[in-house]
């Protein structure tokens, strides 16, 4: 990987800057995130454009990094419902579809007694 980054100092600066931002977001370090966003020396044009977008949405990004909440479970449920609809090619009865979703949901939930 170092060989690829050694090709261009602009590429190396962009890569390191993005890695630093990702690490500071993971560590919930708001000050570090802001510092890395506003240090745009030697970055590529595309990375500067990405950082401009981040700066425009800075408040939302910092709030999201502050909490441990995720919309992953909701997205997983939406994906499961769409998959059921695709494989069933439409249900004649709406209640049959809801029953299928609930049955599938019961299969995917972990058993509380075992854990």
């Amino acid at each position: 990987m170092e060989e690829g980054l050694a090709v261009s100092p602009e590429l190396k600066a962009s890569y390191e800057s993005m890695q630093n931002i990702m690490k500071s977001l993971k560590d919930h370090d708001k000050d570090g995130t802001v510092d890395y966003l506003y240090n745009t020396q030697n970055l590529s044009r595309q990375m500067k454009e990405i950082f401009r977008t981040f700066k425009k949405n800075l408040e939302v990004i910092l709030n999201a990094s502050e909490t441990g909440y995720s919309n992953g479970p909701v997205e997983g449920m939406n994906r499961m419902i769409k998959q059921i609809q695709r494989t069933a090619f439409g249900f004649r009865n709406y209640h049959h579809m809801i029953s299928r979703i609930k049955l599938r949901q019961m299969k995917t939930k972990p058993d509380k007694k075992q854990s």
Side-chain angles (χ1 to χ4, degrees):
M1 183 169 74
E2 290 297 321
E3 292 172 357
L5 293 176
V7 171
S8 167
E10 189 177 82
L11 175 64
K12 184 174 183 175
S14 297
Y15 175 79
E16 288 175 352
S17 186
M18 184 54 85
Q19 291 299 316
N20 289 333
I21 286 178
M22 289 182 357
K23 184 179 183 324
S24 64
L25 287 173
K26 184 178 178 183
D27 295 342
H28 308 291
D29 180 17
K30 288 183 176 184
D31 296 330
T33 304
V34 172
D35 289 343
Y36 291 127
L37 277 177
Y38 284 94
N39 184 10
T40 59
Q41 296 170 334
N42 300 330
L43 296 180
S44 67
R45 181 185 55 80
Q46 294 89 349
M47 189 60 72
K48 286 180 182 178
E49 189 174 325
I50 290 169
F51 281 12
R52 218 176 303 125
T53 304
F54 280 5
K55 290 175 197 173
K56 195 182 328 180
N57 299 311
L58 186 61
E59 184 178 348
V60 176
I61 291 171
L62 293 178
N63 285 340
S65 74
E66 188 176 282
T67 64
Y69 295 118
S70 169
N71 67 340
V74 174
E75 293 296 327
M77 184 65 66
N78 287 342
R79 183 180 182 280
M80 182 191 70
I81 291 170
K82 287 179 182 180
Q83 183 66 34
I84 289 171
Q85 289 175 338
R86 267 193 301 273
T87 57
F89 300 108
F91 286 90
R92 289 184 183 202
N93 189 335
Y94 175 76
H95 296 290
H96 291 170
M97 185 181 80
I98 297 301
S99 298
R100 174 74 61 96
I101 291 169
K102 288 180 181 178
L103 282 171
R104 182 74 179 266
Q105 189 178 10
M106 288 188 328
K107 285 183 180 180
T108 58
K109 284 187 179 176
D111 194 11
K112 291 183 181 178
K113 293 177 184 176
Q114 292 178 356
S115 54

